[in-house]
Amino acid sequence: MIRKALFSDLDAICQLTRTCAKAMIANGIYQWNEHYPTRERFQKDIELEELYVFEELSIRGIMVLTEQIDEEYIPIKWLTQNKNNIYVHRLAVDPTYWGQGYAQQLMDFAEDYAKKNQYQSVRLDTFSQNKRNQKFYETRGYKRLGEIFFPKQSKHPFYCYELPI
């Protein structure tokens, strides 16, 4: 079941993302670190009612759906206008469950949410060194449009993707 996160979920969410970071680093993907994502960021996501959890006995995955465009996204030449878009951030699945379709279900939820709420597109970014994620989004029909940088996370760029709805 996918539902909005509660403050009581915060410890489990932070544990999940720490576990994800360790698993990514073990695979040579230095995307998340002590600077991102933070507990404070997740608290704010919950306050804004933008953080969702995929719960099945335990929290198996998370993602943020927001209407707010990050300033790093502004220079990107998007396929649609910069209004009425939904942005996916901090999508993560517990590594124990990688490859079992949880990320697919989270993205199905995001895309269905966008359609039901008449957004013109779904936008997101993924780390340039994470080839698996790039293939995941491109297989879903997302178009890679440009690069942005988060210096506290990596010297490597992040690729921006968009799927018009």
Side-chain angles (χ1 to χ4, degrees):
M1 166 181 84
I2 297 173
R3 62 170 174 79
K4 287 190 177 179
L6 306 170
F7 285 108
S8 58
D9 298 323
L10 201 50
D11 288 340
I13 290 165
C14 291
Q15 180 59 44
L16 183 147
T17 55
R18 280 193 301 272
T19 303
C20 278
K22 287 178 186 172
M24 287 188 291
I25 289 167
N27 287 316
I29 301 168
Y30 300 91
Q31 176 176 339
W32 285 357
N33 58 31
E34 70 276 8
H35 301 292
Y36 185 88
T38 63
R39 183 179 187 88
E40 294 74 25
R41 180 67 256 178
F42 287 126
Q43 286 175 316
K44 181 120 173 110
D45 293 336
I46 293 170
E47 285 171 17
L48 294 170
E49 297 186 9
E50 296 176 340
L51 180 58
Y52 291 81
V53 297
F54 192 124
E55 187 175 47
E56 205 172 77
L57 300 176
S58 63
I59 294 176
R60 306 280 169 97
I62 63 165
M63 82 176 155
V64 169
L65 294 177
T66 182
E67 294 179 353
Q68 300 304 310
I69 186 170
D70 288 351
E71 70 178 59
E72 291 86 357
Y73 281 28
I74 293 171
I76 299 298
K77 294 193 185 327
W78 297 100
L79 300 172
T80 61
Q81 294 180 15
N82 283 342
K83 61 179 183 179
N84 200 34
N85 309 96
I86 195 84
Y87 298 87
V88 175
H89 295 302
R90 294 177 281 295
L91 187 142
V93 172
D94 182 324
T96 307
Y97 304 102
W98 284 0
Q100 295 183 28
Y102 289 100
Q104 291 280 3
Q105 291 179 67
L106 283 163
M107 286 307 298
D108 288 346
F109 179 88
E111 292 161 13
D112 289 345
Y113 181 90
K115 287 174 190 165
K116 286 177 191 168
N117 292 283
Q118 301 180 345
Y119 290 100
Q120 61 179 344
S121 74
V122 178
R123 296 175 175 179
L124 54 89
D125 66 77
T126 195
F127 190 44
S128 62
Q129 305 302 297
N130 193 333
K131 304 298 182 200
R132 184 174 180 219
N133 276 7
Q134 292 167 43
K135 183 178 179 188
F136 173 74
Y137 294 120
E138 289 168 9
T139 299
R140 294 185 71 86
Y142 285 76
K143 302 292 180 223
R144 187 166 81 186
L145 301 171
E147 298 179 352
I148 57 176
F149 290 87
F150 298 103
K152 286 186 177 181
Q153 285 178 252
S154 177
K155 64 180 181 178
H156 299 288
F158 286 71
Y159 295 149
C160 290
Y161 284 87
E162 184 173 24
L163 179 70
I165 298 298

